[in-house]
Every structure is written in C-alpha cells, then in structure tokens.
Amino acid sequence: FPVTIDQITQKILTGERATTPELFSIMVPGQLGNGDFDTKVKCFTKFVIQPDQRVFEDAVNNILKLNGFNIHYKLKQFTINK
C-alpha cells in the first residue's frame, strides 16, 4: 500500500501522544495562527510530559534508595520563553 506523508506524520504524532501538530512545528492549513498555542502546550505538559517525568523520577529515586542514598531527585519544570 502506498503510504502518504500525512499518514506517516499522523502515526508519528500519535506515537508521541501529541495533542496537536503545532507542538512539533507542523503547520496545518486552516489552523495557522489560531492563537491557542499556549493552551495546547499546557495540556501536553499536564497530560504527557508530567506523568512521564513522575515515572522517571520514581525510578531514579528507587535506584538511589536501593543503593543507600537518602536523596530525593526531582526534575525541574521547563518553561517556554517568548
């Protein structure tokens, strides 16, 4: 079956759990400059980035604890400067 660029793009976005193509600098005709990019970033951060960060932090903290370190590891939250 011939695979179109749109199908490949959609599969990549789905695999990365992206809520919108704009997050990966992929512009969609008819949706350019709709002004809610900040909201989309906040949603992606809340529902994708932060849960993954918690899983990573828990794993690092468990490894540290198993090796006798009394340290609590926490990632810093990222911010986007305009």
Side-chain angles (χ1 to χ4, degrees), residues 11-82:
K11 288 181 185 256
I12 292 170
L13 293 173
T14 301
E16 294 298 328
R17 297 171 290 161
T19 55
T20 179
E22 288 176 299
L23 293 173
F24 292 89
S25 298
I26 300 170
M27 296 301 149
V28 178
Q31 294 183 356
L32 301 176
N34 59 4
D36 61 348
F37 183 74
D38 290 339
T39 302
K40 293 174 182 177
V41 169
K42 287 178 185 176
C43 288
F44 186 70
T45 300
K46 181 177 180 178
F47 295 111
V48 178
I49 302 295
Q50 289 177 348
D52 284 352
Q53 284 180 338
R54 281 193 293 274
V55 169
F56 181 76
E57 290 168 348
D58 289 345
V60 169
N61 284 319
N62 284 335
I63 291 168
L64 290 170
K65 185 177 179 181
L66 286 172
N67 286 290
F69 293 98
N70 189 20
I71 299 170
H72 182 74
Y73 177 79
K74 179 114 174 102
L75 291 168
K76 290 184 180 180
Q77 298 299 317
F78 73 94
T79 56
I80 296 176
N81 298 325
K82 291 184 179 184

